[in-house]
């Protein structure tokens, strides 16, 4: 609290510490203002807005600088739909206390939303127009206009009251009551609302005299800000009753589920499972068929590969035969009969064409003869010089070509070479041949003797 | 019984936004403190005048 004279912060004493003025009465004025502010605040809390306005106005009469009271008064006006009055109070509040004032926030809220402010202004103009219609006795127009206003600004208490007045004048007491109830929701203890409500009730009773009094059938009581009206014999639902109803509902639900829903769901599930099993079986059998056909394809292709490999081998063998034939011919022309003979030995006659075969036979005959002679000569020389292994090699080739060469001499000396090389078992077949082919010869007699050893 | 015309007189037109400025200017801003100060000033003046006469 500051001194009204010098602005110094006052202490508990009755004299200002700054200017020395007696502030006892001033303090009483301030306390009175605060007391009325508190009353106004209490009334505003219980929605007695008109009562709050009266208290707050008195508070401000005591102390115009009571910022809280002024801000609250603005709020109450705003809640009742009197926006301009609310703005007025907040502007004055901000003027008296520019810093740290809640009114700044309220003004910012309204000023930043220009569309809303325009809409409020329009509703005020329409309300004033409706009032003018009333004074001009155009009650129907006034009712229409007021309905529009209240649709836009349902908090305008004066609008509800004026509409109720018009309905009362028209004899529509039920509509009047409805309008007054709406006004009562905003401003509970408004004297005008209560008076009109009383008039509307009287009017309704006069309209329906045969109707039983309400209080025989109905009970009404206040619950907070609302009036609860209910039939007299209505049972109040207790917690126990609610729980019992819930349990019964749960039991019924479980029974319905188990006897109606579950079997159906189960059969659907079983059908679905069977269908899936069938589909799976079909899939397996088709896959098996596919596998079998693929296996057959694999077998066929393997056979083709084998055939092609054989063909390939035959082709290679064929090429090799031709190659060796050419090589043999070359060596024959050079006079190297041994090599030509070896080459001819590797040629496969089946792979040769007719012309090639003829060439082969021609060369073979000529080479063979010289070759044979060469083999026999070398073999015999080696035998004579006790080089039995070399002798065996050459004489065997000669015998393979012609076992009757030199009247069996190659055959005989081959056997001899084996025997002298300590391989009598290998010699015996050749001795046996000498015996068979040349039975009455000296060589045959010798062979018989060696065979019996 | 409600007299419609009489009741209608109780309803005053609501202030429009354009009238807000005028409403602020016309607002009564005298409170008890101002009245007390005014009374004290008058009392002082009377005291001074009676002191001169004496």
């Amino acid at each position: 609290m500051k001194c009204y004279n010098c602005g110094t912060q006052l202490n508990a004493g009755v004299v200002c510490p700054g200017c020395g003025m007696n502030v006892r009465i001033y303090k009483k004025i301030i306390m009175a203002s605060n007391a009325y502010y508190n009353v106004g605040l209490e009334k505003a809390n219980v929605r007695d807005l008109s009562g709050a306005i009266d208290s707050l106005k008195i508070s401000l009469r005591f102390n115009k600088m009571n910022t809280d009271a002024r801000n609250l008064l603005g709020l109450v006006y705003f809640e009742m739909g009197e926006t301009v009055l609310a703005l007025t109070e907040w502007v004055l509040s901000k003027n008296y206390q520019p810093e740290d004032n809640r009114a700044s926030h309220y003004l910012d809220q309204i000023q930043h939303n220009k569309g809303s402010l325009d809409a409020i202004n329009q509703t005020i103009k329409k309300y004033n127009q409706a009032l003018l219609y009333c004074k001009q006795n155009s009650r129907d127009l006034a009712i229409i206009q007021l309905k529009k206003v209240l649709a836009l600004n349902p908090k305008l208490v004066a609008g509800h009251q004026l509409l109720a007045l018009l309905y009362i004048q028209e004899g529509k007491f039920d509509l009047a009551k409805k309008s007054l109830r709406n006004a009562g929701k905003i401003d509970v203890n408004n004297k005008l609302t209560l008076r009109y409500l009383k008039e509307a009730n009287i009017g309704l009773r006069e309209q329906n005299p045969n109707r039983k009094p309400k209080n025989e059938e109905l009970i009404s009581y206040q619950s907070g800000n609302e009036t609860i009206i209910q039939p007299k014999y209505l049972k109040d639902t207790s917690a126990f009753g609610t729980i019992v109803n819930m349990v019964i509902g749960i039991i019924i639900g479980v029974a319905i589920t188990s006897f109606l829903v579950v079997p159906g769901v189960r059969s659907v599930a079983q059908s679905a499972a069977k269908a899936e099993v069938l589909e799976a079986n079909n899939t397996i059998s088709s896959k098996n068929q596919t596998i079998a056909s693929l296996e057959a394809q694999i077998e066929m292709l393997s056979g083709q590969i084998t055939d092609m490999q054989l063909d390939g081998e035959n082709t290679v063998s064929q090429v090799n035969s031709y190659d060796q034939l050419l090589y043999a011919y070359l060596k024959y022309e050079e006079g190297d009969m041994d090599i030509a003979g070896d080459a001819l030995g590797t040629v496969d006659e089946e792979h040769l064409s007719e012309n090639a075969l003829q060439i082969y036979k021609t060369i073979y005959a000529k080479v063979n003869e010289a070759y044979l002679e060469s083999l026999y000569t070398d073999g015999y020389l080696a035998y004579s010089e006790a080089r039995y292994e070399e002798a065996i090699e050459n004489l065997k080739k000669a015998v393979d070509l012609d076992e009757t060469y030199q009247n069996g001499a190659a055959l005989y000396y081959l056997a001899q070479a084996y025997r002298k090389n300590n391989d009598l078992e290998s010699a015996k077949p050749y001795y046996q041949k000498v015996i068979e082919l040349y039975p009455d010869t000296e060589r045959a007699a010798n062979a018989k003797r060696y065979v019996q050893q | 019984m409600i007299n419609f015309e009489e009741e209608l007189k109780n309803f005053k037109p609501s202030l429009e936004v354009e009238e807000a400025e005028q409403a602020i200017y016309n607002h009564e801003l005298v409170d008890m403190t101002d009245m007390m100060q005014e009374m004290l000033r008058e009392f002082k003046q009377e005291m001074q005048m009676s002191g001169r006469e004496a």
Side-chain angles (χ1 to χ4, degrees):
Chain A
M1 199 186 299
K2 292 185 179 174
C3 174
Y4 66 91
N5 191 39
C6 63
T8 309
Q9 189 69 29
L10 297 173
N11 52 22
V14 296
V15 174
C16 172
C19 59
M21 291 289 284
N22 191 317
V23 291
R24 185 171 61 86
I25 295 174
Y26 175 69
K27 280 189 178 182
K28 280 192 190 296
I29 292 170
I30 299 299
M31 280 194 296
S33 174
N34 289 340
Y36 275 104
Y37 164 70
N38 290 337
V39 169
L41 183 60
E42 276 182 31
K43 288 182 180 178
N45 278 332
V46 296
R47 280 211 159 259
D48 180 7
L49 300 184
S50 44
I53 288 171
D54 293 337
S55 300
L56 291 168
K57 278 183 173 176
I58 296 171
S59 171
L60 289 169
R61 289 289 285 176
F62 278 99
N63 178 19
K64 68 186 178 190
M65 307 285 275
N66 192 336
T67 312
D68 290 336
R70 201 173 288 280
N71 289 343
L72 182 58
L73 182 60
L75 265 179
V76 170
Y77 278 139
F78 190 76
E79 184 63 12
M80 289 179 70
E82 299 287 351
T83 309
V84 176
L85 289 175
L87 286 172
T88 305
E89 296 303 330
W90 289 332
V91 166
L92 287 168
S93 171
K94 198 174 169 184
N95 191 48
Y96 285 134
Q97 186 182 317
E99 302 294 329
D100 193 26
N101 192 339
R102 189 74 185 154
S104 307
H105 170 71
Y106 299 144
L107 288 167
D108 288 339
Q109 288 274 306
I110 291 178
Q111 281 165 356
H112 282 141
N113 197 347
K114 195 167 186 318
S116 171
L117 192 61
D118 288 340
I120 289 167
N121 203 25
Q122 287 303 316
T123 57
I124 293 167
K125 286 185 197 300
K126 284 186 175 149
Y127 169 77
N128 293 339
Q129 182 67 46
L131 191 57
L132 194 60
Y133 284 148
C134 288
K135 289 177 179 169
Q136 290 170 353
N137 229 14
S138 305
R139 289 198 285 269
D140 293 335
L141 286 173
I143 287 172
I144 292 166
Q145 190 76 318
L146 278 171
K147 282 182 180 175
K148 286 182 192 171
V149 168
L150 292 171
L152 292 169
N153 186 7
K155 288 190 177 177
L156 188 59
V157 173
H160 288 293
Q161 289 169 339
L162 184 58
L163 185 60
L165 180 64
L166 287 165
Y167 279 140
I168 288 170
Q169 187 62 18
E170 297 281 305
K172 297 174 183 173
F173 298 107
D174 49 347
L175 294 173
K177 272 188 78 171
K178 187 180 169 186
S179 201
L180 290 166
R181 256 187 246 126
N182 289 336
K185 285 177 190 172
I186 302 163
D187 185 7
V188 171
N189 275 345
N190 189 293
K191 292 189 185 61
L192 199 61
T193 305
L194 293 171
R195 192 153 64 83
Y196 287 174
L197 200 57
K198 188 179 170 185
E199 285 297 321
N201 284 332
I202 292 168
L204 270 174
R205 266 201 295 276
E206 284 173 3
Q207 271 186 352
N208 302 306
N210 296 327
R211 204 170 167 186
K212 279 186 185 176
K214 217 179 186 184
N215 54 7
E216 287 189 11
E217 289 183 339
L218 302 170
I219 298 169
S220 69
Y221 58 91
Q222 285 286 119
S223 171
N225 291 333
E226 294 178 351
T227 305
I228 307 293
I229 302 167
Q230 67 183 34
K232 195 175 181 183
Y233 299 106
L234 178 71
K235 273 190 182 174
D236 197 11
T237 308
S238 65
F240 178 72
T242 307
I243 291 167
V244 167
N245 287 335
M246 276 174 60
V247 168
I248 292 168
I250 290 168
I251 291 168
I252 292 169
V254 167
I256 290 170
T257 307
S258 61
F259 290 115
L260 294 176
V261 174
V262 168
V265 169
R266 200 178 290 159
S267 72
V268 165
Q270 282 176 350
S271 306
K274 281 181 187 169
E276 281 184 10
V277 166
L278 189 65
E279 194 181 333
N281 285 337
N282 287 340
T283 307
I284 289 168
S285 84
S286 72
K287 294 287 184 208
N288 284 339
Q289 282 178 355
T290 308
I291 289 167
S293 74
L294 286 172
E295 281 177 349
Q297 274 188 19
I298 289 167
E299 205 175 319
M300 183 191 73
L301 289 169
S302 298
Q304 284 181 0
I305 289 167
T306 309
D307 291 341
M308 286 173 72
Q309 280 175 345
L310 280 172
D311 286 343
E313 285 172 2
N314 286 341
T315 305
V316 168
S317 176
Q318 196 174 11
V319 167
N320 196 41
S321 293
Y322 276 102
D323 205 23
Q324 290 299 316
L325 179 62
L326 286 171
Y327 185 65
Y329 184 76
L330 186 66
K331 290 298 172 186
Y332 165 74
E333 288 292 322
E334 288 175 1
D336 192 341
M337 297 301 160
D338 289 342
I339 295 173
D342 288 338
L344 284 174
T346 64
V347 172
D348 190 348
E349 292 174 35
E350 291 176 1
H351 292 147
L352 296 177
S353 65
E354 200 176 313
N355 292 335
L357 191 62
Q358 199 174 353
I359 293 168
Y360 170 77
K361 284 180 178 173
T362 308
I363 299 172
Y364 186 81
K366 290 183 179 166
V367 167
N368 205 31
E369 192 181 331
Y371 183 53
L372 206 55
E373 188 181 339
S374 166
L375 283 173
Y376 178 75
T377 307
D378 291 340
Y380 185 74
L381 184 64
Y383 172 75
S384 306
E385 292 174 358
R387 290 183 276 118
Y388 297 120
E389 287 182 4
E390 190 182 330
I392 288 167
E393 188 185 337
N394 288 321
L395 289 171
K396 190 172 187 314
K397 286 181 185 175
V399 165
D400 286 340
L401 287 170
D402 183 6
E403 64 183 10
T404 63
Y405 187 72
Q406 292 284 333
N407 293 317
L411 196 60
Y412 180 73
Y413 286 116
L414 178 59
Q416 288 285 84
Y418 270 121
R419 185 177 65 81
K420 288 187 178 180
N421 200 30
N422 298 317
D423 190 2
L424 184 60
E425 292 303 318
S426 298
K428 281 183 179 177
Y430 294 106
Y431 280 134
Q432 196 64 41
K433 277 222 171 127
V434 169
I435 295 166
E436 286 171 12
L437 290 174
Y438 307 100
D440 296 325
T441 61
E442 189 180 339
R443 288 178 182 153
N446 290 337
K448 271 185 197 172
R449 199 170 59 248
Y450 294 128
V451 166
Q452 285 165 4
Q453 280 183 6
Chain B
M1 194 62 195
I2 287 177
N3 186 327
F4 181 72
E5 300 300 330
E6 288 298 317
E7 292 297 328
L8 212 52
K9 289 174 187 173
N10 293 330
F11 287 89
K12 298 284 184 287
S14 194
L15 282 176
E16 296 174 19
V17 174
E18 294 83 10
E19 296 166 335
E21 189 179 344
Q22 196 60 41
I24 291 167
Y25 283 133
N26 294 340
H27 206 277
E28 197 174 339
L29 298 173
V30 177
D31 65 354
M32 292 281 281
T33 312
D34 296 330
M35 287 165 65
M36 186 187 71
Q37 282 181 305
E38 182 65 26
M39 284 166 64
L40 281 171
R41 210 175 298 122
E42 284 175 6
F43 181 70
K44 276 182 187 173
Q45 280 176 357
E46 281 175 11
M47 288 292 289
Q48 280 172 357
M49 283 178 71
S50 44
R52 275 196 212 123
E53 282 172 6

